[in-house]
Amino acid sequence: MNQKLAGLTTVLSLCAALGMNGAPASAAEADTRPCVTKGEYKAIKKGNTLARVHDVFDTKGKVLFQNPGTVTNGAREYPTCKGSGLGSKVQVQYNNYAAQGGPFRVVHIDDY
């Protein structure tokens, strides 16, 4: 094998190992605007962490409320992208009940 071909094979092997196939893993990961697209909205499921939601939505949103206690619960709203087919905002409710004081997890998501 010549030297150029060996180098190209090494680069392609490394890209494949790292999952770098040139395309994002999902439509939600392709968009980096600080607003929620329909694909991003659909990517969030009950049980996702607050950090996961912020990574997918590309924004930390606005805190609506947070009630501390044995179980802390709260809600945030996130702006939707123009033309997303969603309402003007997405609201996500979180609590840490299942995690027994651990990270906030999604318990409900809705657009309005």
Side-chain angles (χ1 to χ4, degrees):
M1 182 180 313
N2 70 34
Q3 194 172 12
K4 283 185 180 181
L5 185 56
L8 180 59
T9 302
T10 302
V11 170
L12 291 175
S13 296
L14 180 59
C15 287
L18 295 174
M20 300 169 65
N21 60 5
S26 70
E29 293 175 351
D31 184 89
T32 58
R33 296 174 291 167
C35 56
V36 182
T37 66
K38 189 117 184 184
E40 291 170 341
Y41 176 80
K42 289 181 174 184
I44 299 304
K45 305 294 182 216
K46 286 183 180 180
N48 287 152
T49 64
L50 176 74
R52 168 74 176 145
V53 173
H54 291 176
D55 285 346
V56 171
F57 287 175
D58 303 309
T59 179
K60 292 183 178 184
K62 174 184 169 187
V63 175
L64 297 177
F65 69 87
Q66 186 165 318
N67 298 320
T70 304
V71 174
T72 300
N73 60 48
R76 289 178 179 252
E77 68 180 15
Y78 306 85
T80 57
C81 298
K82 186 175 180 176
S84 66
L86 299 167
S88 63
K89 297 176 181 159
V90 168
Q91 185 180 95
V92 181
Q93 296 175 15
Y94 302 91
N95 73 35
N96 66 349
Y97 178 74
Q100 299 176 346
F104 286 116
R105 295 193 177 274
V106 174
V107 293
H108 182 76
I109 182 171
D110 201 7
D111 71 295
Y112 60 97

